[in-house]
Amino acid sequence: MGADVLVVGAGPTGLMLANQLARRGVRPLIIDRHAGPSRETRALGVQARTMEIYAKLGVVDRALELGKPGSGADLWAQGRRMARVPLGEAGRDLTPYPYILILGQDDNERIMGDRLHELGVSVQWNTELIGLDQEPDKVAATLKQPDGTTRKVLVAWVGGCDGARSAVRELSGITFPGAPYQHVFFVADVEATGSMVPDEVNAYLWREGFHLFFPMRGKDHWRVVGILPAELRGRDDVTFDSVVPSVRNEAGAGLTFKSCTWFSTYRIHHRSASRFRDRRCFLLGDAAHIHSPVGAQGMNTGLQDAYNLAWKLALVVKGQANEALLDSYEDERIPVARRLLNTIDRAFMLAVSDSWLAGLLRTKVLARIAAFAMSREPIQRFAFRVISQIGIRYRKSFLSQSLDELPDGAPRAGDRFPWLQLKFRADGPVEDSFQKIGDMQFNLIVIGQPAEAAPDVGELLSVHVIPADPMNDAELARVQIPRPSFYLLRPDGHVGLCGSRFDAAAIKQYFAERLHLGPRSAH
Ligand SMILES: Cc1cc2nc3c(=O)[nH]c(=O)nc-3n(C[C@H](O)[C@H](O)[C@H](O)COP(=O)(O)OP(=O)(O)OC[C@H]3O[C@@H](n4cnc5c(N)ncnc54)[C@H](O)[C@@H]3O)c2cc1C
């Protein structure tokens, strides 16, 4: 066998999958048909949930060094600032990263590529997947090599991280329903001064569309994204100068452009694969779903697909779980992609619709509703959870089990376990739970009771009994975790099993039933 896992594509999703497998002791074969890393920035916004995963991967400091935190988002309509989403305040105490980090896709790929290299894995560039032949226990993949010859490799699993035109998807016969947006978009990197609030994302709504200004590193540097005015559509000689009048018209006369270092136009689609898996082949990232760039969700969703699949695949490859565990990947991630398409992409349709009614809605109704809603703290926090992706949960997954009804507001099975500051020892310091609780194994958190006869599943489980302490009590009350209670966290930090009374037998049964622990399945 060539490798246990073939990762097709070294964009952000493939690099994340390869990194997560490598640090879990599974050496992937990662290939990309391009000659080297992409130079295009494309995605720009790194969400809080991705930063949490970057912290586990050991690259968060590098990301912070290269990126620029956007601490708020401002909504403008007809020259007036209508609303502000204070990301910093809204996300405070929900995550160590209460902002959107503005960091180009190329930098994200470089950071993950360097980390992968440190883990001893190199991308095989100029290598294209051109054939897939699935057998019951393996996959024969045909690769076109840099010298133009082909070779066959035998692998146990394939991660299709090969983008919107995915060969893995097409060779697996999986359909990709959806449609292109009717509009043409433009993107420009500029040096500009104007009404924009520094260090924040500024969204300008206007009757015929919108413009977004993302703060970039360097004084007065912005990335501008918008839709091409109707009169410029269909022309192939559009330059940044041709869109300046419309941008200035809406963003105000005070807007001055000093330079433009990059300008491009593009069309986008909204699509979701009908399945995310065909037997031994999985689809992740843009191969599985594509969205509008508004909301900065696409790249982040792909990175989290990879984080969701990697721990499961690693357990199966290492013989620590049965293949049935892998069914949960599709069960958990398809709803996330579909929900994105039904919410943020729907809102996007309204934001770009050409009709006069939509124009009126955008500049009058939408702006006013946003202004009203965003002045309310619970709505701000709700919006932060959605956009930052920390609110993603898998309550309906077969990996999620609650033993009894916990009080309203308490974390449930399937939720991302909250970020806490706790004393893990009665005489110890207050520690950051995200730093303390590792992601290479399951974690059992036991509150207000002893963890008697916790099951012995070796390195698969760490047990943390949280001591009674006034500071701990206050912190647990803040996130409405009752005493007594216990939470079994999966390696990706989502709650697998929870209940009030500690139940060692139920935990043992969870491992037996959900991971199907037993003899290594043949492949
Ligand atoms: C202008 C623009 C702005 C965007 N802004 C944002 C944003 O702010 N935030 C956000 O989250 N998302 C954004 N997105 C979306 C984001 O760029 C994508 O979601 C992201 O690139 C997906 O990553 P991926 O690794 O899944 O796919 P890709 O980045 O497309 O990578 C796929 C890789 O697979 C390789 N490949 C393809 N076929 C084969 C084959 N047969 N064999 C071997 N290799 C192959 C390709 O060479 C490529 O390197 C934006 C997109 C665009 C176009």
Side-chain angles (χ1 to χ4, degrees):
M1 194 99 67
D4 284 307
V5 183
L6 169 66
V7 177
V8 185
T13 307
L15 289 168
M16 177 60 87
L17 181 62
N19 264 295
Q20 294 296 341
L21 289 169
R23 62 194 280 265
R24 288 175 161 78
V26 174
R27 244 184 116 77
L29 170 61
I30 172 166
I31 62 163
D32 197 293
R33 67 184 164 93
H34 284 149
S38 131
R39 299 232 185 89
E40 284 180 28
T41 43
R42 295 206 284 165
L44 201 63
V46 180
Q47 302 291 358
R49 183 63 187 139
T50 299
M51 294 294 282
E52 293 173 2
I53 297 170
Y54 276 1
K56 299 285 186 215
L57 188 56
V59 298
V60 80
D61 290 340
R62 187 90 196 283
L64 284 168
E65 205 180 293
L66 295 176
K68 183 175 176 110
S71 53
D74 301 85
L75 187 67
W76 297 79
Q78 297 178 312
R80 281 181 54 210
R81 190 157 73 124
M82 305 291 290
R84 175 173 186 267
V85 186
L87 294 171
E89 289 106 83
R92 172 185 38 91
D93 70 29
L94 294 178
T95 172
Y97 313 100
Y99 42 76
I100 176 169
L101 187 78
I102 310 295
L103 179 70
Q105 184 165 332
D106 50 346
D107 281 331
N108 282 280
E109 291 181 21
R110 184 144 40 96
I111 290 170
M112 283 190 280
D114 289 351
R115 184 77 188 104
L116 188 61
H117 197 69
E118 284 165 16
L119 290 166
V121 178
S122 304
V123 177
Q124 297 193 7
W125 298 105
N126 276 320
T127 306
E128 183 177 0
L129 174 86
I130 54 169
L132 273 181
D133 195 4
Q134 292 218 41
E135 296 172 28
D137 58 349
K138 58 183 172 301
V139 186
T142 308
L143 309 183
K144 191 167 151 210
Q145 305 188 98
D147 61 4
T149 59
T150 58
R151 80 173 155 123
K152 266 204 167 133
V153 290
L154 293 181
V155 293
W157 305 98
V158 175
C161 309
D162 47 348
R165 296 209 180 92
S166 169
V168 174
R169 191 185 64 235
E170 281 168 18
L171 291 166
S172 304
I174 299 176
T175 55
F176 201 32
Y181 287 106
Q182 65 179 115
H183 295 91
V184 179
F185 295 78
F186 74 83
V187 51
D189 283 349
V190 301
E191 204 184 329
T193 53
S195 57
M196 298 82 74
V197 180
D199 300 336
E200 305 209 339
V201 179
N202 287 261
Y204 292 87
L205 301 179
W206 45 290
R207 286 292 271 267
E208 275 106 50
F210 70 94
H211 293 121
L212 299 177
F213 280 70
F214 291 95
M216 305 277 280
R217 278 170 71 82
K219 191 170 177 319
D220 299 332
H221 280 76
W222 297 88
R223 157 80 53 92
V224 190
V225 177
I227 57 174
L228 273 190
E231 65 275 15
L232 297 178
R233 281 183 217 156
R235 277 175 42 185
D236 50 15
D237 59 344
V238 180
T239 60
F240 180 62
D241 287 339
S242 19
V243 300
V244 165
S246 78
V247 180
R248 196 176 276 146
N249 197 19
E250 300 303 327
L255 184 66
T256 310
F257 292 102
K258 292 187 195 144
S259 63
C260 171
T261 49
W262 181 54
F263 176 77
S264 182
T265 59
Y266 59 97
R267 292 194 85 100
I268 51 171
H269 297 236
H270 51 102
R271 295 180 186 277
S272 173
S274 50
R275 289 176 290 140
F276 283 12
R277 178 183 184 184
D278 176 38
R279 291 163 290 163
R280 295 185 160 267
C281 297
F282 296 89
L283 299 178
L284 304 87
D286 275 20
H289 43 79
I290 43 175
H291 317 270
S292 76
V294 170
Q297 301 291 306
M299 178 179 77
N300 292 277
T301 308
L303 295 176
Q304 281 158 64
D305 288 342
Y307 196 56
N308 182 291
L309 180 62
W311 68 268
K312 299 169 182 172
L313 209 44
L315 287 183
V316 170
V317 167
K318 293 195 289 184
Q320 293 174 315
N322 186 281
E323 290 171 20
L325 175 65
L326 300 173
D327 295 342
S328 65
Y329 167 69
E330 189 178 70
D331 287 352
E332 293 179 348
R333 297 304 295 176
I334 281 189
V336 172
R338 303 262 158 91
R339 211 172 305 125
L340 252 183
L341 286 168
N342 289 334
T343 53
I344 292 185
D345 274 60
R346 280 260 168 91
F348 178 70
M349 298 276 248
L350 177 65
V352 299
S353 168
D354 271 346
S355 79
W356 69 267
L357 184 61
L360 203 67
L361 275 176
R362 210 160 30 232
T363 51
K364 300 264 192 242
V365 185
L366 188 72
R368 291 229 166 89
I369 293 176
F372 173 78
M374 288 311 157
S375 62
R376 306 283 181 285
E377 198 188 308
I379 300 179
Q380 288 173 359
R381 284 170 82 79
F382 174 77
F384 181 85
R385 279 179 199 276
V386 172
I387 293 171
S388 68
Q389 305 196 344
I390 63 168
I392 288 174
R393 56 200 197 190
Y394 310 126
R395 288 189 177 175
K396 295 202 173 123
S397 166
F398 76 87
L399 294 182
S400 305
Q401 185 190 3
S402 292
L403 291 182
D404 43 31
E405 263 313 295
L406 291 169
D408 280 353
R412 308 276 154 129
D415 296 2
R416 158 190 164 281
F417 193 70
W419 176 52
L420 302 169
Q421 307 296 324
L422 289 175
K423 281 188 182 177
F424 285 79
R425 277 184 295 118
D427 58 352
V430 174
E431 294 180 81
D432 176 326
S433 65
F434 279 10
Q435 287 178 18
K436 179 79 179 172
I437 298 172
D439 70 340
M440 305 291 273
Q441 73 285 317
F442 283 76
N443 286 280
L444 178 58
I445 301 184
V446 185
I447 297 142
Q449 56 196 324
E452 268 160 17
D456 181 9
V457 285
E459 58 178 24
L460 265 185
L461 183 65
S462 282
V463 181
H464 311 268
V465 180
I466 309 300
D469 174 274
M471 280 189 66
N472 283 354
D473 293 349
E475 182 69 343
L476 293 167
R478 178 179 70 80
V479 293
Q480 300 179 56
I481 292 181
R483 294 179 71 94
S485 60
F486 78 92
Y487 286 89
L488 176 66
L489 311 191
R490 317 167 353 164
D492 60 5
H494 284 261
V495 177
L497 174 72
C498 59
S500 42
R501 289 268 158 223
F502 182 74
D503 186 339
I507 297 169
K508 209 165 159 196
Q509 195 178 354
Y510 180 91
F511 277 105
E513 282 178 2
R514 315 288 154 144
L515 271 67
H516 304 271
L517 278 174
R520 185 182 172 129
S521 50
H523 60 242

